[in-house]
Amino acid sequence: MNNQKTIIFAEDTMHIAQLLKFKLEKEGFTLIHFATGEGVTEGVINFKPDLVLLDIMMPVKDGLTVLKEIKSNPSIANIPVVLLTANAHEEYVVKGLQLGAIDYILKPFASAELVLRIKNILKMR
Amino acid sequence: MFIHLDIFGFLALTIFSLLTLVYLLVVQVVLLRLLHGYRAKQKQKFIAVWEERVFNYLENNEKPELLIKKIQRRKYRYLLHYLREFLLMLKGDDFDRLSALINQTKIQPFLISRLKSGSPRKINEAAYFLGLAKSGAARNILRKKLRSQNASVFLSSALALARLNDIEVVFEIFRNAYRFKFVSKDSLLVIMSEFSSDICEVLLQNLKKEKNALIQSITITLFRHFKYYPAGEIVLKIAVYSQNKEVTIESIKYFTSIEFLKAANALRALINSPKAEIRAEVLKALAVLGDSSFEQRIWDRMYDSEYEVQYNAVTTLMILIPGSEEKISQFAYGNLKDRAAAIVRMVLSERSIKS
């Protein structure tokens, strides 16, 4: 049986996305990356990941809209969503938590801390 | 020898000159596009090779100079531009390791030599990366650049010094900014917000004697940005006596952000300000700082001549006074010919669309 956990993450800053992919794959996760918010909800429905990591500020469709879509679909609503956002947009975090996000990480962030928080969330479930 | 040109000759010469000019412009555009394409390809090639090396460097204890040694000097700029997003978005060990690639290697003297060059383009780029990597070694040169006659050099040096948290130069930045017409309040705010919150103490001491409305306004905006509580009393005095609309509005926003309840009495007076923007901001603030004693004053603002003021009056009443929604609906739909009631109906429908 394959125990590898799958994470869907949406992040429009390509180099940061590559770094996260590198770090998390090294920890044994399978990563599916989206460069915008478009298609993320469909991806979550199709792949049923163990966790979703969402940047709030993204082109085409922002992270909060994606979060709302995920939480309003009963088949995927229980998948934990972690938000990633710039310090300057801290106010969106409250909205995100109200919409059902389980945690948030502010940019600038330490990649080691991000990996640990993701591991802890998955361990608790 | 003179060449005699008739009207046709003159026309032909003009057309020939114009065609030559267009041809040269087209050639220049094509060359620039080719150059741009070449550089983009080179950059992509560089990233394809170096991305994994940089990621591995972050994971292990490899010395920074060992990594940089493998990069040709002419490709330093590719690396710097590649590191930009990381330096902006990462902190902790990641940031320390990445900034060491600049601060503890040959890249730092490379950037400092560019900072000392006469080219504003080179200076701006070097200042940007030295500031981003918090290169203390560049501090003194950057300080000298604050006196530059070139606005972009001044701005890039000020930004770098702010990222270095060089608080001693805060007022030199303000003073020098006045030499340039197009250095706006917003650009100064961007620079000042790059300092750490330690800047607030220095700004507070200055605010006690500062008469310049622009500096007052920037200072108060920064207090709000850093959620700096100790400035409440001083800002309250300024808000009450200032004749400057922006200073008053920034003060009210600051009181709201730090929930400074002592400001409520000052708001009682400002709610009738002749300036609509101030009245609108006061009403927004009352949703946080007000209490039921403000109810009548807020109701009075329903009849304001400005839509934004009326809108904020309705919204604040709903937040501040329990059960007011029903009373507002009665007012809106019980006075069909009243102008204020018509606007309240618009506000109510707008709110229901938004929710």
Side-chain angles (χ1 to χ4, degrees):
Chain A
M1 198 179 85
N2 185 6
N3 277 331
Q4 216 174 28
K5 305 268 188 195
T6 304
I7 296 173
I8 282 190
F9 80 112
E11 164 66 64
D12 62 325
T13 316
M14 289 314 286
H15 298 329
I16 292 289
Q18 287 300 108
L19 176 68
L20 289 179
K21 200 166 181 299
F22 176 84
K23 292 263 181 185
L24 289 163
E25 279 179 352
K26 225 167 182 186
E27 296 293 328
F29 296 105
T30 300
L31 269 288
I32 301 165
H33 173 238
F34 288 82
T36 75
E38 197 172 54
V40 176
T41 311
E42 293 74 14
V44 176
I45 293 168
N46 292 333
F47 294 102
K48 296 270 174 358
D50 297 280
L51 185 137
V52 179
L53 182 61
L54 275 181
D55 186 13
I56 292 185
M57 288 294 173
M58 281 187 296
V60 189
K61 195 188 270 184
D62 66 84
L64 290 180
T65 308
V66 177
L67 173 64
K68 218 184 274 181
E69 287 173 358
I70 293 172
K71 292 299 164 188
S72 61
N73 184 331
S75 70
I76 51 171
N78 63 340
I79 295 173
V81 178
V82 177
L83 297 171
L84 193 59
T85 190
N87 243 335
H89 301 123
E90 214 175 337
E91 69 272 17
Y92 294 117
V93 167
V94 180
K95 205 169 178 201
L97 293 173
Q98 282 169 344
L99 287 170
I102 193 162
D103 199 0
Y104 67 91
I105 291 157
L106 291 179
K107 290 177 189 171
F109 63 94
S111 63
E113 186 194 333
L114 181 138
V115 171
L116 270 177
R117 277 161 86 166
I118 286 177
K119 277 181 167 177
N120 282 341
I121 291 167
L122 291 172
K123 210 187 284 177
M124 283 190 291
R125 296 184 74 86
Chain B
M1 193 178 85
F2 293 98
I3 300 170
H4 180 73
L5 286 177
D6 60 12
I7 184 78
F8 295 109
F10 181 73
L11 269 174
L13 187 65
T14 308
I15 290 168
F16 176 76
S17 308
L18 282 172
L19 284 175
T20 310
L21 193 66
V22 169
Y23 173 75
L24 286 173
L25 278 172
V26 169
V27 168
Q28 193 185 14
V29 168
V30 170
L31 283 176
L32 281 173
R33 281 186 69 95
L34 284 173
L35 187 68
H36 179 75
Y38 171 76
R39 281 187 181 154
K41 261 190 194 161
Q42 289 292 311
K43 205 172 159 186
Q44 269 175 358
K45 265 191 200 170
F46 178 86
I47 292 170
V49 173
W50 284 92
E51 185 163 71
E52 203 170 334
R53 290 186 190 174
V54 172
F55 291 170
N56 282 321
Y57 160 82
L58 282 176
E59 294 282 297
N60 57 39
N61 287 323
E62 187 185 354
K63 285 189 173 170
E65 65 264 31
L66 288 179
L67 187 85
I68 298 303
K69 211 167 71 179
K70 297 169 198 156
I71 303 174
Q72 295 160 289
R73 189 181 155 94
R74 66 188 171 87
K75 290 189 175 165
Y76 282 173
R77 290 182 66 230
Y78 294 144
L79 178 75
L80 288 166
H81 284 273
Y82 171 65
L83 292 180
R84 196 183 76 91
E85 282 176 0
F86 296 123
L87 290 169
L88 281 168
M89 292 191 196
L90 296 175
K91 66 175 185 183
D93 286 348
D94 295 325
F95 179 86
D96 294 343
R97 292 282 287 153
L98 290 168
S99 58
L101 288 175
I102 294 175
N103 297 334
Q104 294 171 26
T105 67
K106 285 178 179 172
I107 293 188
Q108 191 178 67
F110 165 78
L111 286 174
I112 287 182
S113 72
R114 287 171 81 88
L115 191 63
K116 286 177 180 169
S117 76
S119 153
R121 186 182 60 81
K122 286 182 183 172
I123 295 170
N124 292 341
E125 194 182 55
Y128 181 79
F129 286 111
L130 288 162
L132 214 51
K134 302 193 193 302
S135 294
R139 188 185 307 263
N140 288 336
I141 308 166
L142 288 166
R143 281 181 173 189
K144 282 180 194 158
K145 298 283 174 199
L146 286 181
R147 280 168 249 146
S148 167
Q149 296 303 312
N150 183 303
S152 71
V153 169
F154 162 73
L155 284 171
S156 63
S157 306
L159 183 67
L161 287 164
R163 286 181 167 151
L164 283 165
N165 201 29
D166 188 1
I167 288 176
E168 282 176 34
V169 298
V170 169
F171 298 107
E172 198 174 340
I173 293 175
F174 277 134
R175 276 197 303 276
N176 285 315
Y178 278 105
R179 293 178 298 139
F180 306 105
K181 272 186 188 162
F182 66 87
V183 174
S184 63
K185 179 187 169 185
D186 287 344
S187 47
L188 281 171
L189 269 173
V190 168
I191 290 168
M192 293 296 165
S193 60
E194 288 290 333
F195 281 98
S196 78
S197 58
D198 300 343
I199 193 184
C200 293
E201 177 57 38
V202 180
L203 289 172
L204 177 59
Q205 293 313 318
N206 179 66
L207 189 63
K208 290 175 185 169
K209 52 185 189 327
E210 183 63 62
K211 297 282 176 250
N212 181 301
L214 178 68
I215 297 179
Q216 286 180 332
S217 164
I218 291 174
T219 299
I220 298 165
T221 310
L222 288 166
F223 290 158
R224 175 160 61 94
H225 171 77
F226 288 111
K227 293 207 165 42
Y228 182 68
Y229 298 88
E233 300 280 353
I234 301 292
V235 176
L236 184 56
K237 276 186 197 163
I238 291 170
V240 171
Y241 296 111
S242 178
Q243 296 300 309
N244 184 287
K245 185 176 75 183
E246 270 192 50
V247 170
T248 308
I249 289 174
E250 283 307 328
S251 304
I252 299 168
K253 285 181 179 172
Y254 166 66
F255 299 142
T256 313
S257 74
I258 63 161
E259 298 185 17
F260 190 61
L261 295 174
K262 280 188 187 173
N265 265 336
L267 297 182
R268 218 178 281 275
L270 289 169
I271 200 170
N272 295 319
S273 162
K275 290 161 186 160
E277 292 99 319
I278 293 180
R279 297 197 299 277
E281 201 55 52
V282 168
L283 284 160
K284 223 190 272 178
L286 284 175
V288 177
L289 305 173
D291 54 41
S292 57
S293 68
F294 284 91
E295 186 176 358
Q296 190 51 50
R297 286 167 198 264
I298 302 173
W299 269 105
D300 293 344
R301 287 296 119 217
M302 296 261 211
Y303 294 92
D304 203 281
S305 53
E306 294 294 323
Y307 177 74
E308 202 190 342
V309 178
Q310 290 178 305
Y311 184 93
N312 289 352
V314 179
T315 313
T316 297
L317 268 180
M318 285 178 178
I319 296 168
L320 201 61
I321 313 294
S324 59
E325 201 147 342
E326 200 181 322
K327 205 171 156 191
I328 290 168
S329 289
Q330 277 172 7
F331 170 76
Y333 296 101
N335 302 281
L336 291 176
K337 286 183 182 167
D338 188 285
R339 181 183 169 271
I343 288 170
V344 174
R345 282 198 296 280
M346 276 168 60
V347 175
L348 289 175
S349 70
E350 199 178 310
R351 278 174 62 90
S352 72
I353 291 165
K354 274 186 185 168
S355 63

